[in-house]
Amino acid sequence: MAAIVRAHGVHKHFGALHVLRGVDLEVAERELVFVIGPSGSGKSTLLRCLNRLEEPSGGRIEVDGIDMLDRRTDINRARQRIGMVFQSFNLYPHMTALGNVALALRKVLKLPRAEADERARAALERVNLADRAGHYPGQLSGGQQQRVAIARAIALEPRVMLFDEPTSALDPELVGGVLQAMRELRESGMTMVVVSHEMGFARAAADRVVFMDHGLVVEEGPPEAVFGAPREERTRAFIRQIDRH
Amino acid sequence: MTGWERFADSFLNARVAAEYLPKIVEGFGLTVVLALCIIAAGLTAGLALAVLRSLGVRPLNWLIIFAVDLFRALPPLVVIALLYFGLPAAGLSLSGFAAAWLALSLVLMAFSEEIFWAGITAVPKGQWEAARSTGLGFLPTLRLVVLPQALRITVPPLTNRTIAITKNTALASVVAVPEILGAAQAGVSFGFNPTPLTLGAAAYLVLFLPVVVLGRWVETRFAWKR
Ligand SMILES: Nc1ncnc2c1ncn2[C@@H]1O[C@H](COP(=O)(O)OP(=O)(O)OP(=O)(O)O)[C@@H](O)[C@H]1O
Ligand SMILES: [Mg+2]
């Protein structure tokens, strides 16, 4: 199968801190890759390098055939193909749910307002929030806000979706709705890279689990293998630790 | 004459008041025009500088910070005097009105740039990242996502600062602009009676009291939202 994401030997320094130390990651079309690892191991930095919210200090990154690190690449066009969902939702507080989803449709894809609104409504429908289109983020629960954020990303019909701990900021009773939206997205064939501690979701939905530590991919494989019979001691220690919670 | 009668004859003299009222009314109009011109130019320039500063070009930002600090440090009257009395020496002479307008606009620009800049930096980084991750460019993100949020938190301090600086229009009397205070002072010297000053004070109250009350309302209204 064709790889949508090809990252090779990605390095990232923050000053003297060497956060990514040569990460390789390939994600095939329609694959759901789950990234786990201790705090500070570089998971968020890796995701943010993929759409160049962070500038990698070295390596190669290709997304849907586009060289993300080439100076000549139009980064704004490339980012249209990469949806991103953040731990803290980051909805625009001065716009309604519909406005949040429609903004990029109007200003990036340059769709006329009516068409943008229609597509935004369809995206909200997909995360079961059609009835909240007119609400402002402040009037929505955390779980609803995160689903609007998912709708905002998928409305652009990206080739791959990046999730950075999408449920970590949520009260436990709100996690289910977000995971449900992600599961439906996956069933629709979306390619996804998910950083999360939701092991149940990983076991049920992931094609592959990648364990990172200290800026390197330490181990990867199908969820049964990585969770059930990890080869590396560091992976074992990490999984013991999260299983206790 | 009792003390009160003497006071009333000096400061509340109906004959003098009637004579100089038209001049004060003209001064009132001039003050309003001057104030509006200062607000328009000062806030526009302040916002433009804050936007330029957000581009993050080092040498440019040093220049902006230098200019802003300069006009925040100089007393407004000194800036007016420099432009009015100093520029002719450089072969460029400004009318009193133009000198006062330019000087106070520069001062308002400096203070409002700082306020706009504080507003822009107060918007969480996640807002930029969310917008940029959808393919929105730097300037559209600034205009559509960041500035609307920044402006909302800048409204109260901006209102206060704008009121404070527009009151300095009275300083234009020093460079012979017949705005309210200038007209009142002229009335005092020609009429040998300080009643025009009373009229002037009343004119300032009529002009600025509603503005101050509006400012207070704006402050409470924007304080608890967000
Ligand atoms: N902008 C930054 N400036 C400096 N250091 C940073 C920056 N962003 C991340 N780091 C550092 O890089 C390291 C990796 O951070 P990263 O956020 O990628 O880890 P993570 O695996 O996502 O951790 P967590 O599970 O806590 O989210 C950490 O030590 C962090 O402090
Ligand atoms: Mg992280």
Side-chain angles (χ1 to χ4, degrees):
Chain A
M1 239 188 296
I4 298 279
V5 176
R6 283 178 215 273
H8 287 294
V10 176
H11 286 262
K12 175 65 188 175
H13 296 261
F14 286 113
L17 204 61
H18 200 170
V19 175
L20 297 181
R21 303 187 297 147
V23 174
D24 297 325
L25 180 72
E26 290 221 350
V27 184
E29 197 163 354
R30 296 175 157 259
E31 195 181 18
L32 191 156
V33 172
F34 209 84
V35 182
I36 59 172
S39 180
S41 56
K43 308 180 296 292
S44 300
T45 306
L46 175 63
L47 280 198
R48 296 158 57 81
C49 281
L50 293 183
N51 68 352
R52 240 176 77 191
L53 281 184
E54 299 289 358
E55 203 70 46
S57 4
R60 294 183 42 75
I61 295 175
E62 233 178 63
V63 178
D64 197 25
I66 300 173
D67 183 347
M68 295 297 290
L69 305 187
D70 189 335
R71 289 267 143 236
R72 286 162 303 184
T73 297
D74 179 348
I75 191 65
N76 293 330
R77 290 202 61 158
R79 281 177 178 153
Q80 290 169 34
R81 307 175 184 219
I82 311 170
M84 190 166 213
V85 173
F86 303 83
Q87 180 174 352
S88 48
F89 328 137
N90 299 346
L91 292 186
Y92 316 131
H94 57 300
M95 295 180 196
T96 61
L98 190 76
N100 267 271
V101 180
L103 182 71
L105 297 174
R106 287 186 33 220
K107 302 297 173 175
V108 179
L109 299 191
K110 313 275 186 212
L111 298 182
R113 174 168 234 138
E115 201 181 332
D117 282 358
E118 192 182 322
R119 249 174 89 169
R121 232 175 268 283
L124 285 172
E125 191 99 43
R126 285 179 70 184
V127 296
N128 284 320
L129 281 177
D131 55 332
R132 294 287 189 278
H135 286 54
Y136 285 87
Q139 303 168 315
L140 297 171
S141 76
Q144 291 169 333
Q145 289 187 53
Q146 191 61 298
R147 277 143 65 198
V148 174
I150 293 173
R152 175 172 67 184
I154 62 177
L156 289 163
E157 294 174 356
R159 296 283 282 142
V160 54
M161 285 280 293
L162 312 175
F163 292 83
D164 192 1
E165 309 210 24
T167 57
S168 305
L170 297 178
D171 292 335
E173 73 272 20
L174 300 176
V175 169
V178 171
L179 292 183
Q180 178 59 29
M182 290 171 65
R183 204 170 292 125
E184 283 170 17
L185 192 57
R186 171 177 186 27
E187 278 155 18
S188 76
M190 179 64 76
T191 308
M192 294 160 72
V193 183
V194 181
V195 173
S196 166
H197 300 296
E198 297 291 339
M199 297 306 153
F201 180 75
R203 284 199 174 87
D207 297 300
R208 188 151 52 98
V209 175
V210 171
F211 173 70
M212 281 182 69
D213 195 17
H214 285 109
L216 282 172
V217 172
V218 173
E219 178 165 358
E220 60 181 303
E224 317 79 74
V226 176
F227 293 132
R231 292 189 308 271
E232 301 286 332
E233 176 50 36
R234 276 188 284 176
T235 320
R236 233 170 286 152
F238 177 75
I239 286 170
R240 261 203 309 279
Q241 202 194 342
I242 51 172
D243 269 350
R244 236 179 284 136
H245 295 296
Chain B
M1 274 210 274
T2 66
W4 164 251
E5 279 165 353
R6 259 202 309 277
F7 175 82
D9 184 57
S10 295
F11 287 94
L12 305 167
N13 189 312
R15 182 188 53 77
V16 178
E19 186 178 347
Y20 288 100
L21 187 61
K23 288 275 176 224
I24 300 288
V25 170
E26 272 173 39
F28 184 92
L30 198 56
T31 295
V32 171
V33 171
L34 181 57
L36 289 179
C37 291
I38 291 166
I39 292 170
L43 293 185
T44 308
L47 182 59
L49 284 193
V51 167
L52 276 180
R53 192 169 168 186
S54 72
L55 296 175
V57 182
R58 271 294 167 71
L60 185 64
N61 285 5
W62 290 334
L63 210 67
I64 292 172
I65 293 168
F66 172 76
V68 162
D69 285 354
L70 185 74
F71 287 110
R72 292 200 306 163
L74 286 171
L77 183 55
V78 173
V79 184
I80 295 177
L82 274 177
L83 292 183
Y84 187 69
F85 299 110
L87 277 188
L92 196 81
S93 83
L94 292 177
S95 69
F97 184 92
W101 166 76
L102 184 57
L104 295 179
S105 296
L106 287 169
V107 173
L108 181 56
M109 170 194 80
F111 279 98
S112 66
E113 189 279 339
E114 279 303 290
I115 296 171
F116 284 128
W117 176 246
I120 290 174
T121 51
V123 174
K125 208 166 129 249
Q127 292 290 310
W128 284 97
E129 294 181 344
R132 296 307 303 273
S133 77
T134 61
L136 215 56
F138 178 88
L139 284 177
T141 299
L142 184 67
R143 187 168 64 84
L144 300 163
V145 174
V146 176
L147 277 184
Q149 298 179 57
L151 292 187
R152 151 152 243 150
I153 45 182
T154 57
V155 164
L158 210 54
T159 312
N160 286 330
R161 191 44 84 172
T162 304
I163 292 170
I165 289 172
T166 11
K167 275 195 299 195
N168 283 332
T169 47
L171 296 175
S173 59
V174 173
V175 290
V177 177
E179 48 68 68
I180 297 176
L181 183 59
Q185 282 173 335
V188 173
S189 2
F190 288 117
F192 300 108
N193 182 295
T195 297
L197 277 180
T198 312
L199 286 180
Y204 276 116
L205 279 182
V206 169
L207 180 53
F208 281 109
L209 205 55
V211 179
V212 170
V213 170
L214 182 77
R216 192 186 290 281
W217 175 79
V218 162
E219 199 162 342
T220 50
R221 175 138 197 275
F222 282 78
W224 41 261
K225 278 210 180 158
R226 219 195 125 84

